[in-house]
Amino acid sequence: CNGDLDKCYNELVRLTEDANIVKPSPSPAPGDTPDTEKPPAPPKSPTSPTFNKFAVLQSGKDELSLLVKQVRYMQIVREIPDILKTGAASKKPGETEFRTIDCMSLELTLKNLGELEDELAELPDLRVLVEAVEAIKKVREHLEEEEWEECRAEVHKAKEVKLVESLPKSCASVVEKELDHARKECVHQIVVKTGAEVLSKGSHSGYIGDKASGEEIEIEPMKALIKFAKAANFETNASKQMVKALELALALRESQKTNDREKVKALLAQPEYVRPPFPLGGALEPLKDEIAYAKSEIENLEQIEKIETKLSLHAISGVPGKITAHKLTEHEPLFTLIGEVKHDFLKASEGKMGSERTKKVVELATIVSAIRRGLAKSSHEEVRVEEVKESLRQFSENEDSLKEAMKPALFGKIRHEIRLAEKHVDVMDIVAQLYREALENCIDNDTH
């Protein structure tokens, strides 16, 4: 058959079928000796008109059976490496094209191999080829189903049993290349996808100093994923970017968790936070938001502290009817600062994260400033009682929400100050009423 194994195999199968055909012998003539009693006839030439091909084939059935198995073995050894060379995922890890994966040819091959006779199936060379087909089939199926952990486990299993080392050279390199590609793709997918999940939750959602929100910060999943990626020798650009993003987020969260504002400020001043060295898009978008939130948080806290410092100065004191009110000029710094925060900072921060608390603090500071200015000593202005009353009403209506934005100790002092202002205004109303009544009842207009 000139090396054509398929043709050879088909011819052997045909001869085997012929060998299994039993031709009935002619009945002996009367007086003839039965065949069993006759001496064996000498072999006849195939060109002889009485040559019995079937008898010759039957005598060589064992040899035919051996040849069929040998040729089938040669076919399998030749076919499996060719089958393994096709149907793998294409392109490099991180850019893998999964639609090129072919599992059907491997499944068909395994089905055909499952029909082998036990004698062939037990051959070590064929058994290791079957194991290779099974391993590659499972790897491809996991890749198609995006089962990254399972796929990685299958690759690890093949490595443990030294599958590649036991394969013939004709397919060892092919199998090794596909297993290595699958391993790298799985590491890439686990790092990138799990990283995106880790980044999207567990970030600081409150304010530095807020113990409750600090406890919500998650860092352990981040640490575990970074450790996994480095141990697994991550190689793709996307996985490298994700690990860098995780490291940046981890450093930020650890500082926030310990309420170390100075460290947070120092981190945010570093170039990689000011201008991260990778595109902040897709899976890395949560880090962009986390950095922006941290920056906004620091900026807002600084504005709040400025206002709180001014609020703690020049408070109203004394008793109703005899308060100690400072001069109007002494309240100007707070009034000016409120204007700057309102028009410069809050306007610029519109739509950004972290400014809600600042808005509440500004709202409370505006109320307090109006009360203090309304009750301030001034030789040029009358006491603006109605403005003070309006500010007191605003505080009463929004006290609960304003309380949440301010430090408890400072809010307590402000509330005490406002309660004093309320009572003082009540006294002023009574005095004004008594004065009006005195004018109406005791003094005529001309005298007045």
Coordinates of all heavy atoms in Angstrom, one line a residue, residues 293-322:
Y293 N -12.8 60.1 45.2 CA -13.5 60.2 46.5 C -12.6 60.6 47.6 O -12.9 61.4 48.5 CB -14.2 58.9 46.8 CG -15.2 59.0 48.0 CD1 -16.5 59.4 47.8 CD2 -14.8 58.8 49.3 CE1 -17.4 59.5 48.9 CE2 -15.6 59.0 50.4 CZ -16.9 59.3 50.2 OH -17.8 59.5 51.2
A294 N -11.4 59.9 47.7 CA -10.4 60.2 48.7 C -10.0 61.7 48.7 O -9.8 62.3 49.7 CB -9.3 59.3 48.6
K295 N -9.7 62.1 47.4 CA -9.3 63.5 47.3 C -10.4 64.5 47.7 O -10.1 65.5 48.4 CB -8.9 63.8 45.8 CG -7.6 63.1 45.4 CD -7.4 63.4 43.9 CE -6.1 62.7 43.4 NZ -5.8 62.9 42.0
S296 N -11.6 64.2 47.3 CA -12.7 65.0 47.6 C -13.0 65.0 49.1 O -13.3 66.1 49.8 CB -14.0 64.5 46.9 OG -15.1 65.3 47.3
E297 N -12.8 63.9 49.7 CA -13.0 63.7 51.2 C -12.0 64.6 51.9 O -12.4 65.4 52.9 CB -12.7 62.3 51.6 CG -12.9 62.0 53.0 CD -12.6 60.5 53.3 OE1 -11.6 60.0 52.8 OE2 -13.5 59.9 53.9
I298 N -10.7 64.6 51.6 CA -9.7 65.4 52.2 C -10.0 66.9 52.0 O -10.0 67.7 53.0 CB -8.3 65.1 51.7 CG1 -7.9 63.7 52.0 CG2 -7.3 66.1 52.2 CD1 -7.7 63.5 53.5
E299 N -10.4 67.3 50.8 CA -10.7 68.7 50.5 C -11.9 69.2 51.3 O -11.9 70.3 51.9 CB -11.0 68.9 49.0 CG -9.7 68.7 48.2 CD -10.1 68.6 46.7 OE1 -11.3 68.5 46.4 OE2 -9.2 68.5 45.8
N300 N -12.9 68.4 51.4 CA -14.1 68.7 52.2 C -13.8 68.8 53.7 O -14.3 69.7 54.3 CB -15.2 67.7 51.9 CG -16.0 68.0 50.6 OD1 -16.9 68.7 50.6 ND2 -15.6 67.3 49.5
L301 N -13.0 67.9 54.2 CA -12.7 67.9 55.6 C -11.9 69.2 55.9 O -12.1 69.8 57.0 CB -11.8 66.7 56.0 CG -12.6 65.4 56.2 CD1 -11.7 64.3 56.4 CD2 -13.5 65.6 57.5
E302 N -11.0 69.6 55.0 CA -10.3 70.9 55.3 C -11.2 72.1 55.3 O -11.0 73.0 56.1 CB -9.2 71.0 54.2 CG -8.1 70.0 54.4 CD -7.0 70.1 53.3 OE1 -7.3 70.7 52.3 OE2 -5.9 69.5 53.5
Q303 N -12.2 72.1 54.4 CA -13.1 73.2 54.4 C -14.0 73.2 55.7 O -14.3 74.2 56.3 CB -14.0 73.1 53.2 CG -13.3 73.2 51.8 CD -12.6 74.6 51.7 OE1 -13.1 75.6 52.1 NE2 -11.5 74.6 51.0
I304 N -14.4 72.0 56.1 CA -15.2 71.9 57.3 C -14.5 72.3 58.5 O -15.0 73.1 59.4 CB -15.7 70.4 57.4 CG1 -16.7 70.0 56.4 CG2 -16.2 70.1 58.8 CD1 -17.0 68.6 56.3
E305 N -13.2 72.0 58.6 CA -12.4 72.3 59.8 C -12.2 73.9 59.8 O -12.2 74.4 60.9 CB -11.1 71.6 59.7 CG -11.2 70.1 60.1 CD -9.9 69.4 60.1 OE1 -8.9 70.0 59.7 OE2 -9.9 68.2 60.5
K306 N -12.0 74.5 58.7 CA -11.9 76.0 58.6 C -13.2 76.6 59.2 O -13.1 77.5 60.0 CB -11.7 76.5 57.2 CG -10.3 76.2 56.6 CD -10.3 76.7 55.2 CE -8.9 76.4 54.6 NZ -8.9 76.8 53.2
I307 N -14.3 76.1 58.8 CA -15.6 76.6 59.3 C -15.8 76.4 60.7 O -16.2 77.2 61.5 CB -16.8 76.0 58.4 CG1 -16.7 76.5 57.0 CG2 -18.1 76.4 59.1 CD1 -17.7 75.9 56.1
E308 N -15.5 75.1 61.2 CA -15.6 74.8 62.6 C -14.7 75.7 63.5 O -15.1 76.0 64.6 CB -15.3 73.3 62.8 CG -16.3 72.4 62.2 CD -15.9 70.9 62.4 OE1 -14.7 70.6 62.5 OE2 -16.8 70.0 62.3
T309 N -13.5 76.0 63.0 CA -12.7 76.9 63.7 C -13.3 78.3 63.9 O -13.3 78.8 65.0 CB -11.3 77.0 63.0 OG1 -10.7 75.7 62.9 CG2 -10.4 77.9 63.8
K310 N -13.9 78.8 62.8 CA -14.5 80.1 62.9 C -15.8 80.1 63.8 O -16.1 81.0 64.5 CB -14.9 80.6 61.5 CG -13.7 80.8 60.6 CD -12.8 81.9 61.0 CE -11.7 82.1 60.0 NZ -10.7 83.1 60.5
L311 N -16.5 78.9 63.7 CA -17.7 78.8 64.5 C -17.4 78.8 66.0 O -18.3 79.2 66.8 CB -18.5 77.5 64.1 CG -19.3 77.6 62.9 CD1 -19.8 76.2 62.5 CD2 -20.5 78.5 63.1
S312 N -16.2 78.3 66.4 CA -15.9 78.2 67.8 C -15.5 79.5 68.4 O -15.4 79.7 69.6 CB -14.8 77.2 68.0 OG -13.6 77.6 67.3
L313 N -15.4 80.6 67.5 CA -15.0 81.9 68.0 C -16.2 82.9 68.1 O -17.1 82.7 67.3 CB -13.9 82.5 67.1 CG -12.6 81.7 66.9 CD1 -11.8 82.3 65.8 CD2 -11.9 81.6 68.2
H314 N -16.2 83.8 69.0 CA -17.1 84.9 69.1 C -18.6 84.4 69.2 O -19.5 85.0 68.6 CB -17.0 85.8 67.8 CG -15.6 86.3 67.6 ND1 -14.9 87.0 68.5 CD2 -14.8 86.2 66.5 CE1 -13.7 87.3 68.0 NE2 -13.6 86.8 66.8
A315 N -18.8 83.4 70.0 CA -20.1 82.9 70.2 C -20.9 83.8 71.2 O -20.3 84.6 72.0 CB -20.1 81.5 70.8
I316 N -22.2 83.8 71.1 CA -23.0 84.6 72.0 C -23.0 84.0 73.4 O -23.1 82.7 73.5 CB -24.5 84.7 71.5 CG1 -24.5 85.4 70.1 CG2 -25.4 85.4 72.4 CD1 -25.8 85.2 69.4
S317 N -22.9 84.8 74.4 CA -22.9 84.2 75.8 C -23.8 85.1 76.7 O -24.4 86.1 76.2 CB -21.5 84.1 76.3 OG -20.9 85.4 76.3
G318 N -23.8 84.8 77.9 CA -24.6 85.6 78.9 C -25.9 85.0 79.2 O -26.1 83.8 79.2
V319 N -26.9 85.9 79.5 CA -28.3 85.4 79.9 C -29.3 86.1 79.0 O -29.0 87.2 78.5 CB -28.6 85.6 81.4 CG1 -27.7 84.8 82.3 CG2 -28.5 87.1 81.7
P320 N -30.5 85.5 78.8 CA -31.5 86.2 78.0 C -31.8 87.6 78.5 O -31.9 87.8 79.7 CB -32.7 85.3 78.1 CG -32.2 84.0 78.5 CD -30.9 84.2 79.3
G321 N -31.7 88.6 77.6 CA -32.0 90.0 78.0 C -30.7 90.7 78.3 O -30.7 91.9 78.3
K322 N -29.6 89.9 78.5 CA -28.3 90.6 78.8 C -27.2 89.7 78.3 O -26.4 89.2 79.0 CB -28.2 90.8 80.3 CG -27.1 91.7 80.7 CD -27.0 91.9 82.2 CE -25.9 92.9 82.6 NZ -25.8 93.1 84.0

